[in-house]
Amino acid sequence: MASFSAAQPLSLPRQPILSNSNPNRPSSINEHSRQTLSFIDRCTDITHLKQIHAHMIRTGLFFEPFSASKLFASVALGPFSSLDYARKVFDEITHPNSYSWNTLIRAYASRSDPVQSISVFVDMVSESPCRPNKFTFPFAIKAAADGSILPVGRAFHGMVIKSSLANDVFVANSLIHCYFSCGDLDSACKVFSTSRRKDVVSWNSMITGFVQKGSPDKALELFREMEAENVKASHVTMVGVLSACAKIPDLESGKRVCSYIEEAGISVSLTLANAMLDMYAKCGNMEDAKRLFDTMEEKDIVTWTTMLDGYARLEDYVAARHVFDSMPVKDIAAWNALISAYGQNGKPKEALEVFHELQLQNNAKPNQITLVSTLSACAQIGAMDLGEWIEVYIKKRGIRLNFYLVSALIHMYSKCGDLEKARAVFNSVEKRDVFVWSSMIGGLAMHGCGREAIDLFFRMKDENVKPNGVTFTNVLCACSHTGMVDEAKRFFDQMESAYGIVPEHKHYACMVDVLGRSGYLEEAVKFIETMPIPPNASVWGALLGACKIHCNLSLAELACTRLIELEPRNDGAHVLLSNIYAKSGKWDGVSELRKHMRVTGLKKEPGCSSIEVDGVVHEFLAGDNAHPMSEKVYEKLDKVMDRLKSTGYEPEKSEVLQIIEEEEMKEQSLNLHSEKLAICFGLISTKAPKPIRVIKNLRVCGDCHSVAKLISLLYDREIVLRDRYRFHHFRRGQCSCNDFW
Ligand code: ZN
Ligand code: ZN
């Protein structure tokens, strides 16, 4: 078929001007119209369409509804469509037909302007004689889904029923998708189970919906039903089911799906092969992943990244690095994969080393994704100097500060303990999306500024930014650190009813934490018992932490047993329970647990504290001698302890984790705690008024907490200590947590 290039002017058919006074013209006009309309399909740019538009107005062809709708469809949905221009063309059509209305609704819906799409729908219903039909609803409902506007979705559903379109399979499928997007899973299931006609898309919408909404086991259940009803699964079904297996993770089911694909003869595209690979990797089966990988003829960046990440998850960093080194193209995407593989698997120090390596070569330059991952590694390890350097780098290189980067900067400064700098970044930007707001709310929460975090939540609402699941996690966390139980309950209750966000495990865990920390342990247990989803490890972990604060041995045992059932390799749970036994003097319990850990080969995660001095991160393990300056550090520690003792300080011996009989030994092992070493290193290598910033991987013990308070007073140094749960700002002998953590 002939096509035009932008350089050639159009030669349109010459024809007599169509006169409105004589609407029933002979067929020769139709021949001309037909020719003109056939040009529409062959246009290659918007200029040509505009020429045809002008020509059609001149000849009057535009005022014939069918022809106008044909031109309009091309302007609105064609490959070089322009929405603004399309809107102008639409407004020129005197009596748009249903097709034109549907086209405009569809155009806005496909260009992610759901609000406009819905408002055109309203115009159609109120201003035109056209009734919405089975072609209108799927797009209008898609708009409601994209905007997650549940009330509108429900209103459309009502209209669908009134128009007797509920059994149209396209309409029903769009309703299912919409209810999932808005988080109303019950309604999605209702539409699915009551619709008389189901096709493979209906099943796929349900399966994908459940995977995305965190119920992968439901997705697998549906897949089994689908098989029982002899519905032929498609490529999309398989990708959905595999990602369900990856999320659970359920290797057995995953393998069954792989054989199903083979038996059913479903052609394995790159996307499907990547989904299979991802399932193996997430289930920790790198042998099968490697076998599949070696047979794959086509590989893309997702393929390589999946392998890399799979090895990193198993902490096989040699293999991960080997994947990186074998990548055919080491563009920035490859570097990003390596940095995030380390960063997301608890190896921030290695992630930063890769970032330094990247800077030393010339083939790839860091982009926004690189900087976001690197900032996240800085946040984990407390490398604020590097974080600041990245902020300067962004400005100097003129890298566009997108929402991800802004959120990452706020998060980095908050997690490194400099809330002021986090605030400065937040205030320096004019536009903020939900992640930027959530990041700042999270920062305030972790520093114990609960009130301010909640105020910010309402400011965000005033600016019409819709909160998401992350926002609520941070708001609930703010309530928890500040002991605001009633507020937390209110927020939790509103999540689904007012914002359409279905609470997930992390939200339940936050609520258990709020209730538990404030001493409502029984209520926390009742709360867990009434959860609509089975409680996971983080929920029991929250209860266990609270039991420790309030020394509730019987509930701690319950929580710990459940936790260990779910995570048999959870060293933290074993240690926490052994601490609780130790605190109440139940040494039999302690020794039994220790024996169990020895037999099962479970090791307690060693305490580790890091401190950044002049851009270099120094790590100290408990009782560590590996640091080149450790001799000087221990010397300083002795001096500090002597000075503290001269003012009446006494070590809190009940904090000792090991069972050491002699009192003196107890004191010595307390002295070896990594945070004390890091603080002493800070005293030697930095000067006031620079605060000493220490990051600890475990929860800070009571003795180190008292010591840090005293050092802040006697040495007049500000100490910012981040432990696993929160921040402690020590200033002039006081801590920001008010000794509640
Ligand atoms: Zn300690
Ligand atoms: Zn504190």
Side-chain angles (χ1 to χ4, degrees):
M1 190 191 274
S3 65
F4 314 109
S5 82
Q8 287 174 319
L10 266 185
S11 74
L12 289 157
R14 290 207 196 98
Q15 63 167 78
I17 302 293
L18 198 84
S19 119
N20 284 338
S21 60
N22 195 349
N24 305 312
R25 295 288 295 194
S27 60
S28 66
I29 303 292
N30 291 341
E31 182 50 32
H32 283 293
S33 318
R34 203 189 54 76
Q35 249 182 315
T36 307
L37 295 182
S38 77
F39 274 101
I40 293 175
D41 295 329
R42 285 185 277 154
C43 280
T44 50
D45 66 25
I46 193 81
T47 329
H48 284 148
L49 270 180
K50 285 184 178 169
Q51 285 178 35
I52 295 174
H53 179 201
H55 178 81
M56 283 173 72
I57 290 178
R58 253 195 333 271
T59 58
L61 190 58
F62 185 76
F63 304 103
E64 194 271 307
F66 171 75
S67 309
S69 69
K70 167 123 176 119
L71 172 76
F72 172 62
S74 189
V75 174
L77 303 171
F80 31 88
S81 55
S82 143
L83 262 182
D84 289 342
Y85 181 50
R87 183 77 215 210
K88 263 185 219 137
V89 175
F90 181 83
D91 290 340
E92 281 171 8
I93 306 176
T94 28
H95 296 294
N97 56 14
S98 304
Y99 180 72
S100 292
W101 282 106
N102 291 348
T103 304
L104 189 61
I105 291 169
R106 177 180 169 187
Y108 280 123
S110 341
R111 297 289 187 78
S112 4
D113 194 344
V115 175
Q116 270 303 327
S117 180
I118 292 163
S119 95
V120 173
F121 179 92
V122 173
D123 289 347
M124 176 185 188
V125 174
S126 57
E127 289 170 15
S128 87
C130 305
R131 292 295 99 212
N133 56 25
K134 63 176 181 178
F135 301 108
T136 322
F137 281 111
F139 293 108
I141 296 170
K142 178 189 185 296
D146 289 348
S148 301
I149 318 172
L150 185 58
V152 174
R154 287 202 175 121
F156 285 151
H157 191 182
M159 293 170 85
V160 162
I161 293 172
K162 270 195 203 140
S163 330
S164 311
L165 288 170
N167 282 314
D168 181 274
V169 71
F170 292 105
V171 176
N173 288 348
S174 56
L175 279 170
I176 293 172
H177 169 70
C178 177
Y179 280 126
F180 269 115
S181 302
C182 298
D184 186 349
L185 275 55
D186 287 343
S187 298
C189 293
K190 232 171 263 163
V191 175
F192 180 74
S193 59
T194 54
S195 96
R196 258 177 268 156
R197 284 192 56 206
K198 292 184 189 98
D199 61 5
V200 65
V201 180
S202 326
W203 288 93
N204 291 348
S205 308
M206 292 296 289
I207 290 172
T208 320
F210 276 122
V211 174
Q212 283 168 357
K213 290 293 164 185
S215 301
D217 35 348
K218 279 247 173 73
L220 288 190
E221 215 177 286
L222 270 159
F223 176 59
R224 280 189 284 271
E225 268 176 51
M226 185 178 171
E227 271 187 283
E229 293 195 17
N230 281 321
V231 184
K232 198 172 178 300
S234 73
H235 180 263
V236 179
T237 325
M238 295 334 314
V239 173
V241 174
L242 283 167
S243 99
C245 298
K247 272 198 177 172
I248 294 178
D250 179 352
L251 183 61
E252 281 315 302
S253 301
K255 280 186 169 171
R256 264 205 304 278
V257 176
C258 291
S259 356
Y260 178 96
I261 292 171
E262 212 172 297
E263 283 157 25
I266 296 171
S267 75
V268 179
S269 65
L270 179 60
T271 318
L272 187 51
N274 281 342
M276 288 157 79
L277 203 66
D278 181 59
M279 181 278 295
Y280 284 129
K282 295 259 166 67
C283 294
N285 182 341
M286 288 312 286
E287 294 87 50
D288 281 338
K290 180 77 169 60
R291 209 165 298 138
L292 175 62
F293 178 82
D294 289 340
T295 62
M296 283 172 72
E297 279 168 26
E298 200 190 345
K299 295 179 176 100
D300 65 359
I301 182 73
V302 177
T303 321
W304 289 97
T305 313
T306 307
M307 288 302 285
L308 211 160
D309 198 54
Y311 286 122
R313 276 166 176 270
L314 293 179
E315 300 188 13
D316 187 348
Y317 295 103
V318 178
R321 181 72 208 206
H322 180 72
V323 173
F324 176 77
D325 291 333
S326 342
M327 285 171 90
V329 189
K330 268 189 242 352
D331 55 7
I332 191 60
W335 285 94
N336 290 348
L338 190 62
I339 294 175
S340 80
Y342 284 130
Q344 288 176 3
N345 291 293
K347 295 275 167 192
K349 208 171 171 212
E350 286 76 0
L352 296 186
E353 275 160 20
V354 177
F355 179 71
H356 287 304
E357 197 184 327
L358 163 67
Q359 287 175 287
L360 294 176
Q361 54 78 58
N362 294 318
N363 300 319
K365 285 269 154 285
N367 63 11
Q368 289 161 324
I369 300 170
T370 327
L371 300 177
V372 167
S373 311
T374 310
L375 283 170
S376 142
C378 291
Q380 282 183 58
I381 204 168
M384 200 170 89
D385 288 353
L386 179 59
E388 273 186 300
W389 182 88
I390 290 177
E391 194 185 6
V392 175
Y393 181 88
I394 291 168
K395 280 182 193 146
K396 264 213 310 238
R397 294 287 165 109
I399 295 172
R400 203 174 69 81
L401 207 54
N402 62 14
F403 290 141
Y404 296 108
L405 268 178
V406 175
S407 311
L409 279 168
I410 294 173
H411 180 71
M412 181 275 297
Y413 281 127
S414 312
K415 279 217 110 174
C416 289
D418 198 329
L419 196 55
E420 284 321 305
K421 285 219 168 75
R423 278 201 187 97
V425 173
F426 180 80
N427 291 327
S428 72
V429 291
E430 275 172 28
K431 276 195 163 178
R432 304 176 183 110
D433 75 343
V434 61
F435 291 100
V436 174
W437 284 98
S438 305
S439 204
M440 193 65 236
I441 293 173
L444 291 165
M446 65 179 100
H447 287 272
C449 307
R451 267 289 145 223
E452 207 185 326
I454 288 171
D455 287 347
L456 206 64
F457 175 83
F458 288 114
R459 246 181 77 196
M460 165 182 159
K461 243 186 84 186
D462 289 344
E463 296 197 12
N464 290 320
V465 178
K466 203 172 165 269
N468 63 14
V470 179
T471 325
F472 276 101
T473 309
N474 294 347
V475 167
L476 291 173
C477 173
C479 294
S480 170
H481 282 328
T482 328
M484 295 188 281
V485 181
D486 293 337
E487 283 87 347
K489 282 182 186 165
R490 214 163 21 244
F491 280 119
F492 186 81
D493 289 341
Q494 284 176 354
M495 275 182 72
E496 201 167 352
S497 60
Y499 300 96
I501 298 163
V502 183
E504 291 171 35
H505 278 121
K506 51 190 184 201
H507 303 111
Y508 287 101
C510 279
M511 277 309 285
V512 172
D513 192 64
V514 176
L515 293 168
R517 271 174 196 278
S518 306
Y520 301 104
L521 285 170
E522 298 295 335
E523 200 180 333
V525 174
K526 277 208 192 86
F527 181 82
I528 295 176
E529 282 167 353
T530 54
M531 274 175 67
I533 44 176
N536 69 354
S538 62
V539 173
W540 290 114
L543 183 67
L544 188 54
C547 291
K548 183 170 184 198
I549 297 174
H550 298 286
C551 284
N552 187 323
L553 197 64
S554 58
L555 277 184
E557 252 186 286
L558 166 84
C560 206
T561 323
R562 296 277 174 277
L563 189 52
I564 292 169
E565 274 167 19
L566 291 166
E567 290 185 344
R569 307 286 309 162
N570 185 324
D571 59 334
H574 287 86
V575 175
L576 204 47
L577 186 58
S578 116
N579 284 1
I580 294 168
Y581 284 147
K583 259 202 160 170
S584 49
K586 291 201 171 179
W587 301 111
D588 291 354
V590 177
S591 69
E592 203 152 299
L593 263 177
R594 297 267 148 193
K595 207 175 106 197
H596 172 75
M597 288 174 77
R598 245 195 328 275
V599 171
T600 53
L602 209 59
K603 277 202 194 81
K604 167 177 142 27
E605 186 182 348
C608 175
S609 296
S610 59
I611 173 170
E612 187 191 41
V613 175
D614 296 330
V616 180
V617 176
H618 301 260
E619 280 181 332
F620 293 90
L621 294 169
D624 195 3
N625 286 311
H627 194 273
M629 280 178 67
S630 66
E631 211 170 300
K632 284 214 167 105
V633 171
Y634 282 107
E635 237 170 65
K636 183 75 184 174
L637 183 58
D638 283 342
K639 274 190 205 148
V640 170
M641 282 315 192
D642 287 344
R643 185 160 168 200
L644 259 52
K645 276 180 194 156
S646 70
T647 65
Y649 153 79
E650 262 184 54
E652 270 180 53
K653 288 166 196 149
S654 67
E655 284 293 346
V656 184
L657 302 184
Q658 288 98 349
I659 322 160
I660 299 167
E661 294 303 327
E662 297 103 308
E663 287 299 301
E664 201 183 328
M665 284 282 282
K666 262 192 192 180
E667 193 186 315
Q668 210 173 43
S669 89
L670 270 177
N671 272 353
L672 302 179
H673 281 186
S674 63
E675 55 269 56
K676 289 198 186 87
L677 302 180
I679 292 172
C680 286
F681 179 71
L683 284 173
I684 303 172
S685 11
T686 64
K687 287 209 165 56
K690 200 176 160 69
I692 297 173
R693 296 177 197 281
V694 174
I695 311 282
K696 165 107 199 260
N697 63 338
L698 307 172
R699 189 173 162 276
V700 61
C701 81
D703 184 61
C704 290
H705 197 266
S706 321
V707 168
K709 281 203 289 192
L710 285 170
I711 292 178
S712 77
L713 181 70
L714 298 177
Y715 292 79
D716 194 21
R717 288 297 295 265
E718 192 183 334
I719 300 170
V720 183
L721 173 67
R722 183 181 101 203
D723 73 4
R724 189 175 248 174
Y725 297 102
R726 63 168 304 145
F727 268 100
H728 302 268
H729 287 256
F730 300 96
R731 238 179 252 125
R732 289 183 216 96
Q734 297 293 322
C735 180
S736 60
C737 75
N738 290 320
D739 303 331
F740 179 79
W741 77 96

